[in-house]
Amino acid sequence: MSRPLTMLARLPTHLEATRPGKLLGEVTAALARDLDVLAAQLAGVRRAHRLGEADEFADLHALAALHGIRQGELAMLALRFDRVAAAFASLQAETDRAAALAAAEDMLSLWGLDVPAPVLAAFAMGPAPDLAGAAGADALARLGAAITASLRHAERIGAARARVIRICRRHAEGNGTVSALMDGAAIALDLDLGPVEHSADRFLHAAFARDRLRLTPPPLPAPTPDARPIILPPLPPAAEVLGLVENPLRRTGTDPAERHSGELFDLLRRGFERSLLQLRVTGAGETAPRTLGPMLVNRDEGHGIGFAGEVPPGATLVFDEEGRVTLDGADVTSFAFAFRGAVFAEAGQESPHDFRFDDEATRFAEATPAGALDREFSFPHAGEAITVPGVAVGVTRFAFFVRDAHFAAGDPAGEVLEATPHPFQGVFDESAFTAGAGETPPVAALVALSWMEHEAYKLRLVIPARFRGFVDDPEGTEVRRRVAQAVDRFRPAGVALEVAFIDERWVLGEGTLGTAETSAVAALAGGMALWPAPPDSGG
């Protein structure tokens, strides 16, 4: 019943107020028109004060501000819609069919879709369409209808409303935790977050997430005149990995320092735990090479590594954490060796970490490969990786050597004493003379030590690489800035947050992105992967 009739029905029946043509009815209808306008306006005001019903962004931003949510925290959503709108405009302006098909695939990559390529085929009228023909034109037209529907004001305001509601709900549950940060990142990126998994060392947290913003193909025509059009479901979202790295790894270490043979030195380090070393030895010498058979020993671990060869002046020998050895980029692991066992200090250099014969753990040095310290051993060997020493938290004692010649000598009884082990044999053209008594030892090499260190008070949020496509910057700087701004409210005080993209070559410390399907942590931490070789330049 209309408003005028409702008003007239309240009058006594004998007045016949509702009878058509009566002047009373016309006057009441004129008054009701203003009431209809006022009622609609009042309903709009009422909706504007309700988060779940606000129709305008101005009202939604005002409601969000009541919870301390700034407009900039919703900017990532605006960036996404603007990017889709720009890509759609470029697609509509494209006249070449092949270019239009490629542009459509690029635009569809902005969604995380679990649809096999070409994704445009999901908008075709039938299975296995020939996109180069008429079916491609139909698919592009249906894609345009789907994009137009996804860009409507109702879709934009609904997505923003859902984000504000999720932020408020997260605040009610608490901030400053791993769960809060992961939820905050999912909110900022409009993702639905799955269960959060944790690595064994609790430094890595990851979860599978799926896009909340769905893309729905238009209905298919009815198969018969009497049937209804076929309503299609939204395209399924793909499972993407979202990760959080606590105290991310970074390489740190010492600057190259001049070392002479037999030099003992200490390294003071702060950190979380023992780390494996990377050793860089730069060759010394002007008129003649001085870096012959370099060897580094961790005196506290009784663990040493060495190279049975020459490091030319200016060349760099690298022992990496995986036990591989390179000389100016060429693999020379077959000339490297390692040993573990008792290492004893000189007089006056005693330490609680020294090895003692009354200690059950003390043993004489055992080499890798076996026998590499013996004078009869012949290099190169099979090239197996060696084990490298580590560096502890606190003070670690080291010693550095090159092959100073030690020659055979005779005792009074006439017996010949042969120099051993192998690293200190006096071999012609493969050894250096040591300094005499009272002489300043010459520089044997430039030695630098480095290791992977966990950064204190630092978090790294790693997000799917497709979000880089929301801007034209290959580094995705604006995306990373906006995501960091949106997640900042969930960050614990005093902890810095950085945002990075997950790529196929994304490196987490010492691993690469994997392809595990059942574990988000395994997919993020991954393992070793082969990268494609660079294209041949023809040189």
Side-chain angles (χ1 to χ4, degrees):
M1 183 180 293
S2 66
R3 186 181 297 275
L5 291 178
T6 301
M7 297 170 62
L8 293 172
R10 294 180 177 275
L11 298 175
T13 306
H14 70 275
L15 296 179
E16 297 182 336
T18 59
R19 183 166 57 85
K22 297 197 66 170
L23 183 60
L24 180 61
E26 295 179 5
V27 172
T28 302
L31 294 174
R33 282 196 294 270
D34 293 335
L35 292 177
D36 287 338
V37 173
L38 291 174
Q41 292 175 340
L42 182 61
V45 171
R46 186 170 57 249
R47 290 195 304 273
H49 287 78
R50 295 176 179 175
L51 182 58
E53 299 179 8
D55 297 323
E56 302 296 333
F57 277 103
D59 299 326
L60 183 63
H61 290 154
L63 292 171
L66 296 176
H67 300 276
I69 302 173
R70 298 165 295 178
Q71 184 173 346
E73 296 180 59
L74 306 178
M76 184 65 193
L77 186 63
L79 183 68
R80 175 172 185 167
F81 278 106
D82 291 345
R83 183 62 172 178
V84 172
F88 183 44
S90 298
L91 174 61
Q92 290 179 307
E94 189 60 64
T95 57
D96 181 72
R97 173 61 60 82
L101 295 177
E105 292 298 318
D106 289 341
M107 182 177 63
L108 288 170
S109 68
L110 299 176
W111 280 266
L113 299 175
D114 188 16
V115 178
V119 182
L120 183 61
F123 294 87
M125 302 289 286
D130 178 15
L131 297 180
D138 292 339
L140 288 172
R142 288 171 55 78
L143 172 62
I147 297 297
T148 300
S150 71
L151 294 176
R152 292 181 303 177
H153 175 77
E155 298 295 328
R156 294 172 180 253
I157 195 73
R161 183 187 299 119
R163 179 177 291 197
V164 174
I165 293 173
R166 294 176 72 193
I167 291 175
C168 295
R169 184 179 295 120
R170 180 64 255 180
H171 280 322
E173 297 176 1
N175 297 319
T177 64
V178 168
S179 176
L181 286 164
M182 293 290 287
D183 278 348
I187 294 170
L189 298 170
D190 296 293
L191 300 174
D192 282 326
L193 192 67
V196 179
E197 305 171 24
H198 312 278
S199 62
D201 58 10
R202 309 297 288 188
F203 280 115
L204 177 61
H205 317 277
F208 288 116
R210 299 178 186 273
D211 203 335
R212 287 178 60 86
L213 304 184
R214 307 296 170 85
L215 193 59
T216 305
L220 292 173
T224 62
D226 297 334
R228 294 182 177 181
I230 301 174
I231 304 300
L232 299 176
L235 297 180
E240 302 175 290
V241 178
L242 187 67
L244 183 70
V245 185
E246 291 190 65
N247 307 114
L249 290 167
R250 64 179 177 88
R251 183 163 294 281
T252 187
T254 67
D255 294 328
E258 295 181 347
R259 303 291 180 189
H260 61 78
S261 183
E263 181 174 352
L264 308 179
F265 62 96
D266 297 340
L267 177 61
L268 176 61
R269 168 181 173 256
R270 298 180 179 89
F272 289 81
E273 57 192 0
R274 174 184 179 271
S275 296
L276 292 177
L277 276 177
Q278 181 186 101
L279 170 65
R280 301 180 70 89
V281 178
T282 302
E286 297 180 359
T287 59
R290 288 291 310 174
T291 312
L292 302 165
M295 182 168 65
L296 179 78
V297 181
N298 182 325
R299 297 153 60 202
D300 293 333
E301 293 183 351
H303 189 172
I305 51 177
F307 176 67
E310 172 189 322
V311 182
T316 301
L317 180 74
V318 179
F319 292 78
D320 64 27
E321 291 91 339
E322 287 74 36
R324 307 304 300 180
V325 185
T326 58
L327 179 59
D328 278 352
D331 192 297
V332 290
T333 309
S334 58
F335 288 88
F337 62 90
F339 70 87
R340 290 179 178 271
V343 175
F344 303 97
E346 296 180 358
Q349 299 289 333
E350 293 84 1
S351 168
H353 298 290
D354 286 342
F355 292 81
R356 293 174 174 80
F357 283 114
D358 59 357
D359 185 352
E360 293 182 0
T362 299
R363 65 181 187 276
F364 287 105
E366 299 176 356
T368 303
L373 296 180
D374 297 339
R375 60 180 178 272
E376 295 86 3
F377 191 85
S378 177
F379 289 95
H381 56 75
E384 60 181 293
I386 63 173
T387 57
V388 296
V391 56
V393 177
V395 177
T396 303
R397 303 177 304 154
F398 289 96
F400 179 74
F401 304 92
V402 294
R403 181 184 289 172
D404 287 330
H406 290 253
F407 296 97
D411 65 1
E415 181 181 357
V416 175
L417 304 178
E418 296 186 0
T420 192
H422 182 277
F424 297 105
Q425 292 185 81
V427 180
F428 178 73
D429 205 28
E430 295 182 12
S431 306
F433 288 105
T434 189
E439 296 180 354
T440 301
V443 175
L446 296 177
V447 178
L449 305 178
S450 66
W451 57 91
M452 299 302 294
E453 188 74 271
H454 287 282
E455 294 188 75
Y457 307 109
K458 186 76 170 287
L459 293 169
R460 179 180 296 148
L461 175 67
V462 286
I463 65 177
R466 71 177 173 92
F467 290 98
R468 185 189 281 114
F470 290 1
V471 292
D472 290 325
D473 178 14
E475 300 298 324
T477 304
E478 182 64 15
V479 171
R480 292 188 287 114
R481 185 190 69 80
R482 295 194 183 193
V483 172
Q485 181 183 11
V487 180
D488 185 69
R489 64 171 49 250
F490 307 102
R491 173 183 58 86
V495 177
L497 175 70
E498 68 176 18
V499 179
F501 294 102
I502 303 175
D503 285 329
E504 292 182 357
R505 298 187 182 186
W506 181 81
V507 177
L508 171 65
E510 301 168 3
T512 55
L513 180 64
T515 57
E517 298 179 355
T518 58
S519 170
V521 168
L524 187 60
M528 298 183 65
L530 291 177
W531 293 0
D536 189 358
S537 61

